[in-house]
Amino acid sequence: MSEIAASDGTGRRAERARRPLPPLLVLAAGAVAIVLALPLLYLGLRATEATAQSWDLILRMRTVWLTVRTLGLAVAVTAATGLLGVTAAWLVVRTDLPLRRAWAVLFALPLVFPSYVGAFALLSALGPRGLAQQLLAGPFGVDRLPDIGGFPGAFLALTLFTYPYVYLTTAAAIRGLDPTLEESARMLGHDRWRVFRRVTLPLLRPAIAAGGLLVALYTLHDFGAVSLMRYQTFTQAIFLQYRAAFDRTPAAILSLMLVGLALIVLVMEQRARGRARYYRSGPGALRRLRPAPLGRWRLPALAFSGVLVSLALILPVAVLVYWLVRGLDAGTPLNLTLGAAGNSILVSGGGALVAFAMAVPVAILAGRFPGRLARGIERVSYAGYALPGLVVALSLVFFAANYTPAIYQSLPLVIGAYVVLFLPQVSEPLRGAMLQIDPSLEDAARTLGLSRGGVLRRVVLPLAARPAFAGIALVFLTAMKELPATLLLRPTGFETLATRIWTGASAGLYSRAAAPALLLLAISAVPLFLLAGRIEVEEVRTG
């Protein structure tokens, strides 16, 4: 029986002590950390200019209230997405749910929705005077539905459109489980629930924690959904400070406080991950896990899947189609520009590939040489992901305008912003893969004469190909939706689909925003379809 998860912190420390840090790896990871720390450096410079009036503005009870509201939303959304994501992953990978291949893709597709588009769709459909109210007004005389704004609306929008982070990471982890572990536990007399709680769930902790971390940090830096739902958080307060006052020092201090909240989330994720080892100490079994029969739970499972896909996918698509048809009927021209689509693919693809290249040294250092240096670099890499895009963009404008004017308002600067904002989306799956690759494989390859670079190319990267592809696809998808940094850093006249959507929606012309929004969804669905398709499920033969 392969080793499940041994909590031997002493052994790990001894193992680290025997492994010297490769200088090239430290240099590469350090260079990445310097680039990713630029927003923190910018905020620190701004904070040093703070006056007593600035601190008085910040140190009010309202700031404490903002902290409670922001953390409360992040905790609630992370818990809900964990429940939805793990349930969906379990159904498509480990049960005989009918049409599992279709559900595997449908569960992942809501990730293509930008939060501001998803929130708009929910308000348009379920708002007090929305489409649902119009349908109910005739037969039932309903003249107004309850307001979904505030915390309920922000919670619903962020949960529905971010749970795929947990679903994708957990489904991939379940797919890679060694079936002999569960079989051995059952031979020892444990029932299914006890096997899941004592064997399966501990093995899934890194994947669930990785997905939950991405959700929590996404919630902390989200601006679109909370603004449309009128739920004030740190990001909204930062944006209002930047807009309302020429002095950007209070906004910089609020941004640093937001980074502090992100650090709290990182510490919680590390504790949830635990100190156990998650790689196999033996060869395990090559066969796949057998799907478990749902029995009387089949109909509830189908109902759960149908409701989730209806709310997170069918409803927002239907709302966008409604506004598109309504606009065409009113004579609104089809605001569909293939040039903007090409620009979106260009900068998003470039950002995803550069982020992958920069994430490799960070993930190897964190996964193979855990220590203070690795933890420090890893936490710095999350700073940009926790900050609003506006803050990251302003920091890059500051450094580009003062030190590298040649790249000011250029595509490399836009791609650099995407890397700073979204690098954890690829580094986190890579680090999870490093934790599950047995170090003895690398030692054996070194014994056979391979250099460190050869081990990376011929052993580590092939074994980490699946999570690496997932990370690259996630960065591409998120960059396709990014708005504030693109608006501020793009070259003059450079349009993306996200800027087209914003131009229409900000002017209240939703019919003009519908066409580029649907095109954005169509393009984003392609890599997500490939990503979800890699969650292989076995066909169940009945009869």
Side-chain angles (χ1 to χ4, degrees), residues 485-510:
T486 309
L487 282 173
L488 199 61
L489 300 175
R490 61 177 172 161
T492 303
F494 185 82
E495 293 278 358
T496 65
L497 290 174
T499 61
R500 286 276 182 175
I501 297 169
W502 178 254
T503 302
S506 61
L509 304 173
Y510 301 123

Side-chain angles (χ1 to χ4, degrees), residues 466-484:
R466 191 185 296 269
F469 177 80
I472 292 172
L474 285 177
V475 174
F476 176 82
L477 289 169
T478 316
M480 286 285 291
K481 303 181 291 186
E482 206 286 331
L483 182 64

Side-chain angles (χ1 to χ4, degrees), residues 418-435:
Y418 291 168
V419 172
V420 173
L421 284 167
F422 307 128
L423 184 131
Q425 291 188 342
V426 63
S427 68
E428 187 63 22
L430 280 175
R431 188 195 60 174
M434 293 302 301
L435 291 174

Side-chain angles (χ1 to χ4, degrees), residues 34 54 101 106 207 270 427 443 529 538:
I34 291 173
S54 300
R101 291 187 187 278
L106 294 174
Q270 287 178 347
S427 68
D443 296 337
F529 182 84
E538 289 190 6

Side-chain angles (χ1 to χ4, degrees), residues 206-518:
I208 298 173
L213 177 64
L214 294 177
V215 170
L217 294 179
Y218 186 97
T219 304
L220 285 180
H221 83 226
D222 177 76
F223 174 74
V226 295
S227 297
L228 287 175
M229 292 295 181
R230 305 182 308 281
Y231 182 76
Q232 195 167 43
T233 61
F234 258 107
T235 53
Q236 202 178 16
I238 292 168
F239 181 76
L240 292 176
Q241 281 291 334
Y242 271 118
R243 282 191 59 186
F246 182 77
D247 181 13
R248 291 172 174 170
T249 303
I253 297 174
L254 285 175
S255 299
L256 284 174
M257 296 176 70
L258 188 59
V259 173
L261 293 184
L263 288 176
I264 293 174
V265 172
L266 282 172
V267 171
M268 292 172 63
E269 186 268 344
Q270 287 178 347
R271 292 192 174 184
R273 190 196 320 159
R275 305 183 65 181
R277 292 179 295 176
Y278 296 94
Y279 53 80
R280 298 173 181 174
S281 60
L286 295 178
R287 67 180 185 278
R288 297 173 178 177
L289 287 160
R290 289 180 59 81
L294 282 170
R296 60 190 173 92
W297 291 100
R298 177 168 295 191
L299 283 180
L302 282 171
F304 164 83
S305 305
V307 170
L308 183 59
V309 170
S310 297
L311 286 175
L313 182 63
I314 297 176
L315 177 67
V317 170
V319 169
L320 291 174
V321 171
Y322 166 80
W323 280 106
L324 178 64
V325 173
R326 181 173 172 174
L328 292 175
D329 286 344
T332 303
L334 193 63
N335 188 24
L336 201 59
T337 305
L338 295 180
N343 291 339
S344 293
I345 294 172
L346 174 67
V347 291
S348 301
L353 294 177
V354 175
F356 168 71
M358 296 177 68
V360 169
V362 176
I364 293 177
L365 190 67
R368 281 291 174 266
F369 304 95
R372 291 182 180 177
L373 178 64
R375 283 198 300 272
I377 291 177
E378 189 182 14
R379 288 174 182 175
V380 167
S381 72
Y382 280 93
Y385 193 63
L387 288 170
L390 175 67
V391 176
V392 172
L394 286 173
S395 68
L396 295 183
V397 166
F398 173 81
F399 288 107
N402 287 281
Y403 302 104
T404 55
I407 65 169
Y408 181 68
Q409 284 197 320
S410 67
L411 292 185
L413 198 60
V414 178
I415 291 174
Y418 291 168
V419 172
V420 173
L421 284 167
F422 307 128
L423 184 131
Q425 291 188 342
V426 63
S427 68
E428 187 63 22
L430 280 175
R431 188 195 60 174
M434 293 302 301
L435 291 174
Q436 292 183 319
I437 296 175
D438 190 344
S440 64
L441 295 176
E442 301 167 45
D443 296 337
R446 291 298 305 275
T447 305
L448 293 174
L450 285 181
S451 63
R452 289 188 185 277
V455 172
L456 177 64
R457 291 192 307 273
R458 300 180 63 177
V459 178
V460 176
L461 290 182
L463 290 173
R466 191 185 296 269
F469 177 80
I472 292 172
L474 285 177
V475 174
F476 176 82
L477 289 169
T478 316
M480 286 285 291
K481 303 181 291 186
E482 206 286 331
L483 182 64
T486 309
L487 282 173
L488 199 61
L489 300 175
R490 61 177 172 161
T492 303
F494 185 82
E495 293 278 358
T496 65
L497 290 174
T499 61
R500 286 276 182 175
I501 297 169
W502 178 254
T503 302
S506 61
L509 304 173
Y510 301 123
S511 55
R512 287 193 177 183
L518 287 170

Side-chain angles (χ1 to χ4, degrees), residues 1-5 178 180-186 188 198-199 203 280-284:
M1 178 175 169
S2 299
E3 181 177 347
I4 298 176
D178 183 353
T180 60
L181 301 176
E182 293 187 2
E183 292 166 359
S184 300
R186 288 200 189 98
L188 294 173
R198 300 286 300 274
V199 177
L203 289 169
R280 298 173 181 174
S281 60

Side-chain angles (χ1 to χ4, degrees), residues 84-85 88-89 91-92 97-113 159-165 167-168 171 301-302 304-317 524-535 537:
L84 293 177
L91 286 176
V92 298
L97 182 74
L99 304 174
R100 289 186 303 150
R101 291 187 187 278
W103 291 118
V105 176
L106 294 174
F107 281 143
L109 282 177
L111 197 61
V112 303
F113 287 97
T159 299
L160 288 177
F161 303 113
T162 60
Y163 83 83
Y165 285 122
Y167 161 70
L168 290 170
L302 282 171
F304 164 83
S305 305
V307 170
L308 183 59
V309 170
S310 297
L311 286 175
L313 182 63
I314 297 176
L315 177 67
V317 170
S524 301
V526 175
L528 192 58
F529 182 84
L530 297 175
L531 179 62
R534 295 174 73 88
I535 303 172
V537 294

